[in-house]
Amino acid sequence: MTLKGKVAVVTGGNSGIGKAVVLALAEQGASIVIDYIADERATEDLEQQVRDLGDQVIGVEADVSKVEDLERLVAKAVDAFGRLDVMVNNAGVETRTSVLDTTEEQYAKVLDINLKSAFFGTQLAAKQMIAQGGGGRIINMTSVHEDWPMPGNTAYCLSKGGMRMLTRTAGVELAPHDILVVGVGPGAVDTPINKATVADPAQLSKLDAAIPIGRLAQPEEIASVVAFLAGAGASYLTATTIFADGGLMHSSPGL
Ligand code: BGC
């Protein structure tokens, strides 16, 4: 129980990687704030799972692409549990559109949900952590695509590239406050964002073949990295990204 007495907010916390992160942090004893935008039922089920682990939890419906909603989210965490120790900027979407066909609306949606939310989530969490004292952890869910092009998913790559520099720059700026900022860069994970690929056997075997470990990750294999980064063992990590990608970024056909 390395996170007993700590309070964690997870954006996009009721599905996919976010849901696994909620459970991994709860397993370490943290009090949890689940941010969600849709599916109240799924949030209530997850809240129950957290309570079954013996931890306190609240769900907050907030659209993290809006700063006022993020402010309300952080305020609710502090109202409920008195502080904020771990902010996981996890909410994310993709449009699978190329530089040639991405619309202004798609661009804004992806950049706002992925990058703007992480920027202001970092800002608001850091202000609270500085006010309460004692430091904190900010964990940004990026992707291998913070650094590795994904043709046909341009806006998503841009947003993750922005999160890479947010992590590095904010990590440097906030280090004097003992607030550590680290990115987690998953490869392909078996979550709703990859539903179409997983449902198509040809696509799935192409993807599996590109991954040195030979398979997609389960969300729990990403969440365990977040739990480590939130804990005492990660006290010297900041302004960098931990890639959990099964070797994907370094795979090579050996030509
Ligand atoms: C994207 C997926 C993609 C995976 C591996 C993730 O960040 O969301 O669409 O399959 O990276 O390329």
Side-chain angles (χ1 to χ4, degrees):
M1 288 277 189
T2 59
L3 299 176
K4 203 83 216 155
K6 305 282 187 198
V7 178
V9 171
V10 183
T11 71
N14 72 351
S15 76
I17 294 173
K19 178 179 175 183
V21 168
V22 161
L23 292 171
L25 297 177
E27 269 162 25
Q28 294 303 321
S31 298
I32 307 284
V33 180
I34 305 170
D35 157 74
Y36 69 101
I37 190 152
D39 204 347
E40 194 175 354
R41 182 69 208 279
T43 312
E44 286 166 3
D45 288 350
L46 185 57
E47 285 174 36
Q48 193 51 51
Q49 291 182 59
V50 172
R51 273 186 227 106
D52 291 345
L53 288 165
D55 299 306
Q56 308 184 83
V57 60
I58 57 166
V60 180
E61 188 183 350
D63 176 351
V64 294
S65 70
K66 300 197 171 92
V67 175
E68 59 181 1
D69 278 31
L70 275 170
E71 284 169 345
R72 187 166 49 78
L73 177 63
V74 171
K76 289 240 179 191
V78 177
D79 280 355
F81 304 123
R83 53 186 298 111
L84 171 59
D85 302 285
V86 181
M87 179 76 181
V88 186
N89 292 311
N90 166 78
V93 293
E94 64 185 20
T95 51
R96 296 272 177 129
T97 52
S98 81
V99 70
L100 294 176
D101 60 21
T102 299
T103 64
E104 184 177 2
E105 198 184 19
Q106 287 171 323
Y107 178 93
K109 181 181 175 189
V110 173
L111 270 291
D112 286 356
I113 294 175
N114 298 6
L115 181 58
K116 181 183 170 193
S117 74
F119 183 88
F120 287 101
T122 296
Q123 181 187 83
L124 292 165
K127 283 185 177 175
Q128 172 58 31
M129 289 164 183
I130 291 167
Q132 73 197 18
R137 303 287 169 88
I138 296 172
I139 298 162
N140 292 324
M141 192 58 64
T142 75
S143 165
V144 289
H145 301 299
E146 69 163 48
D147 197 39
W148 189 51
M150 182 172 181
N153 211 4
T154 317
Y156 180 79
C157 291
L158 242 73
S159 72
K160 297 299 178 178
M163 289 177 80
R164 173 186 174 89
M165 281 312 290
L166 167 66
T167 300
R168 279 150 184 72
T169 313
V172 171
E173 287 185 356
L174 298 172
H177 300 283
D178 201 21
I179 297 170
L180 307 182
V181 187
V182 180
V184 174
V189 188
D190 189 2
T191 66
I193 214 169
N194 276 310
K195 213 167 121 199
T197 308
V198 172
D200 176 342
Q203 272 293 103
L204 182 60
S205 56
K206 204 170 131 196
L207 181 60
D208 284 346
I211 304 168
I213 282 185
R215 61 171 178 81
L216 273 76
Q218 290 305 307
E220 294 72 24
E221 296 178 284
I222 309 303
S224 57
V225 179
V226 176
F228 163 70
L229 290 173
S235 55
Y236 206 65
L237 278 161
T238 198
T240 191
T241 301
I242 307 296
F243 291 104
D245 70 344
L248 180 59
M249 285 172 89
H250 297 97
S251 68
S252 162
L255 299 173

